Amino acid sequence: MLKIFGTLIASLIVWAGFIFLFQNGTIPVDRVGTAAMGAWVNKNFVPSSLIVIFVTLVASSIWFWISWKQRESADCHESVKYWWGLLMVPLATIALVTILDREETKNVIAFVMFSHVIHVILIYWVGTSISSAGLAKYILPGSRAIRRLVSSVGIPI
Amino acid sequence: MALYLIAIGGSGARCVESVVHLASVGLMSDEKIKILFVDPDQSNGNYIRTCEQIDTYNKCRRLVWRSGEPCQWMRTEIVNLGISTVGAGNNTLADSFGYTTMADTDPVAMDLFDVLYTGQERNMNLSEGFRGRPAIGSAFMSQLNFQSLRDSRYQGNYAEYLRPWARLLEEIDNAIDNSNIKILLCGSVFGGTGASGLPVIARLLDDFYKGRGGGADKTPRDNLTIGSLLILPYFGFAAGGANVQPNEVYARAPEFALNTAAAMQYYRNQMQNVCDVFYCIGDQNRVEVEFSAGGEKQENKAHIVELYGALAVRDFLYLQGKPENNEKIIFAERRIEDQIGWADLPCEPSTIKYAPVQEFFDDPDEPVIRHALRSAVRFAFVWYNTIIPDIEEYCLANRPKGWEKVAQVWLGSLFNMNKRDTHLPDISNPSVETSDAYMITRWCENFAGWLDNLHNSESETIKLFFMERVTSPEDIYFGRLVQDDPRSEPELDADKVDLIKLKLDPREEDGIDPNQIEARGYVGLAKYMYIICGL
């Protein structure tokens, strides 16, 4: 579980990077002035991101619980279907917040969605891949490569 | 130094089978055990089965020891010196000793012959052994002339039945001046071959090594410990229904007790100065076996008495020097009349270390014999019921992709699984004869079959393992294979096959140390699993 929180921190750092890029205009949002830009970030980007992060965290935690229960079972690969099912929850959330915010974010919608997807990738995919234990550690798609990559940068898994 | 085990007759061969299995679980020492069989009936089913067991053991042992690192499993090298078919090839006793010409050449000898042997005994066909007549066997056994073998420097063109003796005696002659040699003779006292061969061969060996010193104070016999493992009656049979003529000579179960009484009297009066150690093992709850006059049909199931016999071999192997004045008597008996459990297996001196090779096999909280057998049973269960069928199904492409991903956890450190084009590229179908796994699986079958036979006694209850669980493919029984397991219920529940797999992952906290064993592939898998199953 600690590993999922580790990926949460990584995700928040990336998120802070996006906020910075929006506010200093590197990613041009159709707003005039820094104040208006700050208001858009606070009113639209931050809430939608927090919703996505929260939902993704919950989905990751549920998978962690499922895989922990299955960690000593050679049949644990059968539970991957739950992982795919849980993945749909944050993806649906991204779709929902994007639809709700579409008027306010239409010219940067791709950047906002990209930011949300990064949360899902980091917290859900990477988080669950490195936190799945026991016999379940390699059952998720790409988990072997992700584990190798993470350990290659010196993070013990 | 090696232990020379001379297995005489069918019961001797059956004890050797148990010796092989105790050696496979690591209960013998690092000394070689060299076995010489004595039986005129080379087609004896018991002998053939034992030779097959030795053959499988040796093939499996070669695999296990190929990479060289010490291992408790199959630690003892067993050498089959062959069979001495003394007495075979003679149609009848009369033919062999020229009875028909005795009237002319030596009428006194003929009279003596008539006193010693009945007409039926003189003329019975000996192609299937001595048929429960020790007097006949003794006549042949006493013709073994060890001195003539030595005189020819063990290089003569001997009859087939003398070759194993030449090899054995030459080895002993070369070693006896510098080391202590142990010879254990094993056979029944109630049948034909064992009863005739054991005392005669023991006496021949005793004379042979006492005589070599030429009357000197110190003879090679001082460096030789001779033991006798006497198997007392433990089975019976009814000849009724068998294809035997009423007046034909064959072993008769009702005569066993009488034969035994006479034999034991003889051992007490005549053999105490010949043998240094005696082990006497029998069972008053006699199991009924199918009658057979000899040949391939004489193949009996393994019996608990043979396990005790093998434990006696173990005791003899660890014996420090000769017991003095025959004063030490160790007496073991069962606690409950018709039942044998762990508590009835003999305790042993604390000087015997189960695992001088690898200390992690030691479990101070558990008697060594139980610990060793338990480890082997657990290993055989996991290997035979789970691991091999699982991999076999994978090799037959009957496993989903997800199975591979789980298998990477427990096979990843033992098989090359990093190639992108195909997973588990090094895994061969374990049921193919060329696969290393095949021979290990055969050993598991033999071991479990032997243990199952031990438990299948109709005359008493053997409470060592739950054999119906051991032979069941249900994983759920894994934690509950051993009878009288002292562990708590939650501990038994937590003992699962999948946990064994998990421990094969070196990245796990309690996983294997990949540097501990060099072997990889099936052999590495088996060796690591054997260790894990014993913990």
Side-chain angles (χ1 to χ4, degrees):
Chain A
M1 197 63 195
L2 212 58
K3 289 168 186 168
I4 291 177
F5 283 111
T7 58
L8 173 66
I9 291 167
S11 188
L12 290 175
I13 292 168
V14 174
W15 185 48
F18 268 99
I19 292 173
F20 175 75
L21 293 175
F22 282 128
Q23 283 185 333
N24 71 5
T26 309
I27 301 173
V29 183
D30 188 19
R31 291 282 186 279
V32 180
T34 311
M37 191 71 75
W40 175 83
V41 167
N42 290 334
K43 184 168 173 277
N44 300 96
F45 183 65
V46 171
S48 65
S49 297
L50 286 177
I51 289 168
V52 170
I53 289 170
F54 176 74
V55 170
T56 309
L57 194 60
V58 170
S60 300
S61 305
I62 292 171
W63 169 256
F64 178 79
W65 178 72
I66 291 171
S67 69
W68 186 259
K69 277 179 65 179
Q70 294 278 310
R71 64 187 288 276
E72 291 168 2
S73 166
D75 295 328
C76 58
H77 56 88
E78 288 171 7
S79 54
V80 175
K81 56 181 181 273
Y82 300 116
W83 187 86
W84 286 107
L86 285 165
L87 174 63
M88 294 303 127
V89 179
L91 292 182
T93 308
I94 291 173
L96 188 68
V97 296
T98 307
I99 290 166
L100 292 175
D101 251 3
R102 64 187 182 282
E103 288 303 319
E104 300 293 325
T105 58
K106 59 183 171 193
N107 61 331
V108 285
I109 197 161
F111 292 105
V112 172
M113 280 183 74
F114 180 62
S115 160
H116 292 338
V117 168
I118 284 189
H119 295 316
V120 176
I121 289 172
L122 283 176
I123 301 171
Y124 191 72
W125 191 15
V126 176
T128 55
S129 289
I130 63 173
S131 65
S132 297
L135 293 171
K137 66 175 65 155
Y138 298 138
I139 61 173
L140 298 182
S143 56
R144 217 170 138 81
I146 291 170
R147 282 177 166 268
R148 206 180 301 127
L149 189 72
V150 172
S151 62
S152 70
V153 296
I155 299 169
I157 50 166
Chain B
M1 193 193 76
L3 166 70
Y4 294 91
L5 181 59
I6 300 173
I8 307 164
S11 299
R14 289 170 62 177
C15 277
V16 170
E17 184 187 12
S18 292
V19 169
V20 171
H21 287 298
L22 288 199
S24 68
V25 304
L27 278 171
M28 297 298 166
S29 73
D30 297 323
E31 309 286 353
K32 286 180 189 172
I33 298 179
K34 299 189 175 183
I35 301 164
L36 190 155
F37 294 93
V38 178
D39 200 325
D41 181 10
Q42 198 168 2
S43 63
N44 184 309
N46 292 317
Y47 163 71
I48 291 171
R49 190 178 70 195
T50 300
C51 285
E52 285 169 357
Q53 303 272 7
I54 294 173
D55 185 51
T56 303
Y57 172 84
N58 281 331
K59 284 178 179 164
C60 197
R61 187 178 183 276
R62 271 195 289 277
L63 277 179
V64 170
W65 282 78
R66 190 171 55 191
S67 51
E69 62 269 295
C71 176
Q72 197 65 27
W73 188 30
M74 304 195 176
R75 61 192 279 209
T76 311
E77 188 178 341
I78 295 179
V79 180
N80 186 350
L81 294 174
I83 183 167
S84 172
T85 53
V86 54
N90 299 294
N91 290 334
T92 64
L93 188 66
D95 290 345
S96 177
F97 285 85
Y99 178 76
T100 49
T101 58
M102 272 185 192
D104 300 328
T105 57
D106 195 347
V108 177
M110 187 177 185
D111 290 342
L112 182 63
F113 215 74
D114 288 339
V115 169
L116 292 174
Y117 302 103
T118 66
Q120 283 176 335
E121 288 173 339
R122 286 197 303 268
N123 296 311
M124 78 176 202
N125 189 321
L126 296 173
S127 62
E128 290 178 332
F130 305 129
R131 303 204 182 188
R133 292 291 185 277
I136 299 172
S138 302
F140 288 104
M141 298 291 177
S142 57
Q143 289 189 316
L144 286 170
N145 189 342
F146 295 156
Q147 192 57 48
S148 72
L149 295 179
R150 179 184 282 158
D151 292 344
S152 63
R153 296 176 183 270
Y154 305 109
Q155 300 297 324
N157 188 21
Y158 308 121
E160 199 65 42
Y161 76 91
L162 284 173
R163 285 182 191 165
W165 287 110
R167 191 175 162 194
L168 177 133
L169 296 173
E170 186 179 17
E171 279 189 25
I172 295 176
D173 269 6
N174 290 337
I176 200 163
D177 290 333
N178 303 316
S179 59
N180 291 314
I181 302 291
K182 288 179 179 175
I183 300 177
L184 183 65
L185 298 104
C186 166
S188 72
V189 298
F190 55 92
T193 311
S196 60
L198 205 150
V200 174
I201 293 171
R203 189 174 291 282
L204 287 172
L205 287 168
D206 181 59
D207 290 345
F208 184 61
Y209 286 106
K210 269 181 183 160
R212 191 181 160 196
D217 288 344
K218 191 165 169 56
T219 68
R221 179 68 178 85
D222 297 326
N223 287 346
L224 175 67
T225 307
I226 298 178
S228 283
L229 171 52
L230 309 177
I231 308 292
L232 310 183
Y234 65 100
F235 63 84
F237 48 77
N243 189 21
V244 175
Q245 300 299 321
N247 57 351
E248 200 174 333
V249 177
Y250 56 89
R252 293 166 200 271
E255 294 173 3
F256 284 174
L258 204 61
N259 292 349
T260 303
M264 295 311 286
Q265 210 164 12
Y266 177 79
Y267 277 99
R268 192 187 66 182
N269 296 332
Q270 305 289 328
M271 294 296 290
Q272 295 212 45
N273 293 326
V274 173
C275 295
D276 304 298
V277 186
F278 288 97
Y279 298 92
C280 305
I281 301 162
D283 191 342
Q284 76 269 32
N285 302 324
R286 293 183 198 164
V287 66
E288 285 290 313
V289 300
E290 202 173 320
F291 174 78
S292 167
E296 285 175 30
K297 288 180 184 170
Q298 195 182 337
E299 183 183 1
N300 311 109
K301 287 179 180 175
H303 189 277
I304 193 76
V305 158
E306 295 148 21
L307 172 66
Y308 277 81
L311 290 171
V313 175
R314 169 177 158 80
D315 185 80
F316 186 72
L317 194 61
Y318 281 97
L319 203 65
Q320 302 287 331
K322 297 180 191 182
E324 287 179 9
N325 304 324
N326 292 341
E327 62 192 7
K328 189 176 179 185
I329 297 171
I330 300 172
F331 187 67
E333 61 172 352
R334 70 178 85 209
R335 269 82 170 160
I336 300 170
E337 194 180 339
D338 58 352
Q339 185 178 305
I340 290 177
W342 291 111
D344 299 311
L345 292 183
C347 297
E348 53 189 19
S350 56
T351 49
I352 298 181
K353 294 286 180 214
Y354 171 46
V357 179
Q358 282 173 306
E359 60 182 22
F360 50 80
F361 276 101
D362 267 332
D363 183 350
D365 298 330
E366 190 174 28
V368 285
I369 294 161
R370 175 176 162 153
H371 180 63
L373 286 172
R374 183 177 67 88
S375 304
V377 165
R378 283 163 62 81
F379 166 77
F381 181 91
V382 179
W383 183 268
Y384 190 80
N385 290 344
T386 309
I387 299 285
I388 291 306
D390 226 14
I391 297 177
E392 198 176 337
E393 285 298 308
Y394 167 76
C395 292
L396 297 172
N398 292 334
R399 284 278 181 261
K401 189 87 176 162
W403 181 89
E404 276 180 21
K405 293 185 172 181
V406 176
Q408 282 174 357
V409 175
W410 53 279
L411 294 178
S413 60
L414 298 160
F415 292 88
N416 174 19
M417 301 176 75
N418 290 323
K419 289 184 183 170
R420 278 167 181 256
D421 53 348
T422 171
H423 284 291
L424 312 186
D426 284 351
I427 292 196
S428 59
N429 189 332
S431 60
V432 175
E433 274 192 48
T434 50
S435 166
D436 287 349
Y438 179 79
M439 203 41 75
I440 298 170
T441 306
R442 270 196 62 194
W443 173 80
C444 290
E445 284 172 342
N446 286 352
F447 178 69
W450 167 75
L451 212 54
D452 195 36
N453 282 346
L454 291 187
H455 284 74
N456 275 343
S457 174
E458 288 159 11
S459 58
E460 55 209 344
T461 310
I462 309 299
K463 291 187 74 176
L464 302 177
F465 294 98
F466 292 105
M467 284 313 293
E468 70 282 3
R469 296 179 187 173
V470 173
T471 51
S472 155
E474 298 294 330
D475 294 5
I476 50 166
Y477 293 131
F478 180 62
R480 292 180 161 81
L481 300 175
V482 186
Q483 300 232 18
D484 302 324
D485 198 322
R487 292 179 296 173
S488 66
E489 281 298 309
E491 282 176 313
L492 295 175
D493 287 337
D495 195 3
K496 295 177 186 164
V497 172
D498 288 339
L499 267 180
I500 300 289
K501 290 179 179 171
L502 199 52
K503 286 179 182 173
L504 286 167
D505 182 2
R507 288 155 292 225
E508 287 292 315
E509 216 169 283
D510 55 352
I512 57 170
D513 171 7
N515 300 318
Q516 187 181 346
I517 290 172
E518 195 186 314
R520 291 292 178 265
Y522 282 118
V523 175
L525 176 65
K527 288 174 88 169
Y528 273 116
M529 274 179 51
Y530 200 90
I531 294 169
I532 295 168
C533 287
L535 297 175

